[in-house]
Amino acid sequence: MDISRRRLIGAAGVTGAALGLFSAGLSSGSAWAAPRYEDDPYRLGVASGDPAADGFVLWTRLAPDPLAVDSRGGMPERKVAVEWQVATDERFRHVVRHGRAWAVPELAHSVHAEVHGLRPGREYFYRFRTGGAISPVGRARTAPAPHGHGGWASDVSFAFASCQCWYEGFYTAYRHMANEDLDFVAFLGDYLYEGGVGANAGVRDMRLDPSYQRETYTLAEYRNRYALTKLDADLQAAHAAFAWIVTWDDHEIENNWASDIAQVDKDGFPDDDIAAFRARKARAAQAYYEHQPLRLPQKPRGDRMRLYRRLNFGSALDLHVLDTRSYRDDQVGGDGTKPGYDKERREKSRTMLGAQQERWLLNGAGRSHATWNVLANQTLVSQVDQDPNPDVLSSGLDMWDGYTAARDRLLTGFYQRGVNNPVVITGDIHRSVVSDLRFDFDNPKSPTVGTEFAGTSISSGKDGAAMDKVGRDWMTEGVNPHLKWHNAQRGYTRVRLNHRELRADYRVLPFVTKPDAPVETAASFVVQAGRPGAQQL
């Protein structure tokens, strides 16, 4: 699409402009006054995120050579002005907001442009321009106005996903997701994996620079692993189709990290050097921010990054986005490598969220007037005995089962505060599970407090199956009676809710180790407002 600068900046119908996130004074590089690119600078696509009633944040990263080993993406050490537009129509006849942001080398020439002044509950289109290069068009919806004033107030539709190991499967699920009718996407963690991709990049069958064969540790390595992931056309399509609300889990930094504590030393990096791990976290957090549609409050300060936040969608939904990595106590039992951990995991002082985030969550959910309070959560909340032998204790120590007192405070807090219809959406486990959340999981007659919908992976774990040994163990009669359903195929979960009910459709693919898989709905569940617990349709 070729339009003039005057058309881009001076289009009729512009009601205002916004300043870019970064000013010239925040970069040590001089400005590139007349940029010209040897290749498409938008090869990593466009995205939007964190929708509010009056706008959202727009993202892109200028990278004509996205896999350059130096991680500069083929860009010079100079800042570049990037113009953006938001319109009510896909052909940009009615531009309603425009502005300029600086893409600076210190942040890998990424752009995070926060747009305000839009109407609630509306669909908009956006694009970027730098030099003579115009980006693909993206689409995003604003949230409904508070208390249901404005469009899209009582019906909300979204998908949630997690765990997209690039070298273990193709992202066909995102191609299907992009064709859904959704208001936003919630991504629950493991956007990338820190390990080497293998000599032939796994199922992708590609030869890459040797730097991709080792675990990510430097800023350049993290940046390039994001670039490799975001080059996928199906992932780009899903980002361009909907605003995303993202949080991280462990693999964005390192498997099973907890606060300032690294994984038990299995990767050549010492797990007892807190300073070294905090430096590694700072590099990973910067690369994460550079490649996600996040607002300024989520910009990291060193190794600290506040990802927990709350988004309101009118009177129907409050979405509480959690970070269950940055503030938790260390996993007990040496990440399950040592015996005798049952008493330790039940200690009352143990925390999954940290004291501040726990108060924020419980107090905020308790004050919520929305019909549904949904927690965007990383690891499984529900208790799961993973061994059907009654004489064997087998708990997931990285999940909330390793933090039982924290789970008790969470569920008791919901009940005591009268939280409206709590529902937890969960990633991490590479399988789909539907569960009642009970005060006492060992007592089938214990009251149900809420519902958990755990979703499978996009590609991690390769093809999967409708049922496997883990599923058979978990679903053995009498072992976990609060579990309603299990599936170990790949895919995503679609959620539709209104003031009467919440419905979850599990969308699965028969394979991901080769492209072009079809999609089908494996099961559907509904939760009635005021009646916790899921019923299969």
Side-chain angles (χ1 to χ4, degrees):
M1 192 182 331
D2 184 20
I3 60 175
S4 68
R5 176 180 172 84
R6 180 180 180 185
R7 168 67 188 270
L8 181 66
I9 298 301
V14 174
T15 59
L19 294 176
L21 179 61
F22 298 103
S23 67
L26 292 181
S27 174
S28 60
S30 60
W32 192 8
R36 290 293 181 267
Y37 305 100
E38 294 184 3
D39 204 341
D40 179 11
Y42 304 105
R43 291 185 61 192
L44 299 181
V46 299
S48 64
D50 279 19
D54 72 335
F56 29 70
V57 59
L58 302 179
W59 174 93
T60 193
R61 178 191 167 195
L62 306 181
D65 184 10
L67 300 185
V69 177
D70 63 7
S71 81
R72 296 177 181 176
M75 294 291 292
E77 288 293 303
R78 301 168 71 179
K79 59 179 176 279
V80 181
V82 180
E83 300 154 349
W84 55 264
Q85 282 184 318
V86 175
T88 58
D89 64 301
E90 196 167 4
R91 300 187 67 181
F92 290 80
R93 290 192 178 97
H94 303 287
V95 175
V96 294
R97 284 292 183 273
H98 69 83
R100 186 177 72 167
W102 285 104
V104 301
E106 290 85 347
L107 291 178
H109 291 97
S110 61
V111 173
H112 300 75
E114 297 189 26
V115 183
H116 300 283
L118 303 179
R119 297 182 63 186
R122 296 292 187 272
E123 181 176 77
Y124 291 94
F125 300 88
Y126 63 89
R127 64 185 176 187
F128 301 90
R129 175 174 173 166
T130 173
I134 298 176
S135 76
V137 173
R139 177 181 63 189
R141 291 180 183 174
T142 52
H147 311 300
H149 300 296
W152 183 44
S154 62
D155 294 272
V156 178
S157 178
F158 66 93
F160 68 89
S162 65
C163 305
Q164 52 183 38
C165 186
W166 178 84
Y167 51 86
E168 288 195 338
F170 290 92
Y171 292 167
T172 313
Y174 283 132
R175 187 188 315 168
H176 295 294
M177 184 189 290
N179 291 323
E180 302 271 13
D181 182 14
L182 305 174
D183 299 314
F184 64 89
V185 170
F187 190 84
L188 306 178
D190 293 346
Y191 196 93
L192 59 69
Y193 281 70
E194 78 281 14
V197 304
N200 296 308
V203 303
R204 304 280 179 155
D205 193 24
M206 295 171 57
R207 302 289 292 190
L208 296 166
D209 183 82
S211 62
Y212 292 91
Q213 312 308 319
R214 56 180 178 260
E215 183 167 344
T216 50
Y217 190 71
T218 68
L219 176 59
E221 289 166 347
Y222 279 112
R223 281 174 170 171
N224 279 357
R225 201 62 56 86
Y226 279 107
L228 183 66
T229 300
K230 295 183 80 72
L231 278 170
D232 186 274
D234 293 331
L235 175 60
Q236 289 189 20
H239 269 299
F242 318 108
W244 281 41
I245 299 167
V246 301
T247 186
W248 63 16
D249 193 16
D250 53 342
H251 289 289
E252 285 88 352
I253 299 177
E254 180 192 50
N255 182 52
N256 280 14
W257 66 279
S259 186
D260 289 335
I261 303 170
Q263 182 188 30
V264 171
D265 189 7
K266 299 176 182 177
D267 53 16
F269 300 109
D271 61 319
D272 57 351
D273 190 336
I274 291 177
F277 183 61
R278 290 188 64 178
R280 182 182 184 182
K281 275 202 303 177
R283 296 188 289 267
Q286 177 175 336
Y288 183 78
Y289 177 78
E290 290 171 350
H291 292 86
Q292 299 294 355
L294 290 166
R295 294 178 181 269
L296 185 58
Q298 279 63 62
K299 185 175 183 290
R301 297 182 178 182
D303 69 314
R304 304 304 178 187
M305 187 175 191
R306 178 164 170 163
L307 283 173
Y308 69 86
R309 58 206 190 275
R310 185 175 295 111
L311 291 91
N312 171 263
F313 296 89
S315 59
L317 169 65
D318 277 349
L319 183 69
H320 312 267
V321 181
L322 304 186
D323 176 358
T324 62
R325 286 288 160 192
S326 298
Y327 315 99
R328 65 158 71 189
D329 287 318
D330 193 16
Q331 297 92 340
V332 300
D335 280 358
T337 62
K338 301 175 183 178
Y341 55 79
D342 187 48
K343 182 178 179 180
E344 187 179 357
R345 76 185 178 107
R346 297 182 185 275
E347 289 182 1
K348 292 184 178 180
S349 63
R350 287 180 58 74
T351 181
M352 174 68 90
L353 302 176
Q356 181 175 332
Q357 183 180 188
E358 189 173 296
R359 286 193 302 270
W360 166 86
L361 172 60
L362 292 176
N363 292 338
R367 291 191 297 265
S368 172
H369 296 291
T371 300
W372 299 95
N373 282 273
V374 174
L375 277 61
N377 165 67
Q378 287 74 62
T379 62
L380 199 66
V381 173
S382 299
Q383 174 178 295
V384 175
D385 185 347
Q386 302 188 41
D387 194 317
N389 185 339
D391 298 325
V392 176
L393 172 67
S394 181
S395 302
L397 301 181
D398 187 57
M399 302 186 293
W400 287 74
D401 265 346
Y403 304 78
T404 59
R407 179 171 61 202
D408 291 344
R409 292 193 301 270
L410 176 73
L411 300 182
T412 301
F414 285 165
Y415 181 79
Q416 291 177 341
R417 289 167 173 78
V419 174
N420 293 335
N421 301 305
V423 170
V424 180
I425 58 174
T426 296
D428 179 64
I429 58 174
H430 304 177
R431 57 191 64 246
S432 300
V433 172
V434 178
S435 177
D436 290 342
L437 296 175
R438 299 184 183 276
F439 274 127
D440 182 357
F441 286 101
D442 295 320
N443 179 5
K445 295 183 180 180
S446 177
T448 297
V449 179
T451 307
E452 181 168 25
F453 293 106
T456 186
S457 63
I458 288 290
S459 60
S460 304
K462 299 186 177 179
D463 287 339
M467 183 58 71
D468 59 5
K469 183 181 185 304
V470 171
R472 287 190 291 272
D473 288 345
W474 288 19
M475 301 303 291
T476 297
E477 184 175 359
V479 175
N480 298 295
H482 48 282
L483 299 187
K484 300 290 190 70
W485 182 76
H486 171 278
N487 181 285
Q489 294 171 290
R490 307 293 156 242
Y492 58 94
T493 309
R494 182 181 63 206
V495 177
R496 293 171 175 165
L497 61 89
N498 54 38
H499 293 303
R500 300 180 302 278
E501 66 179 28
L502 180 150
R503 172 174 172 153
D505 299 312
Y506 280 90
R507 306 279 281 162
V508 302
L509 284 68
F511 54 84
V512 295
T513 52
K514 55 185 179 180
D516 301 324
V519 68
E520 65 177 3
T521 299
S524 297
F525 290 82
V526 66
V527 181
Q528 300 292 335
R531 297 179 60 187
Q535 304 299 320
Q536 188 167 4
L537 297 176

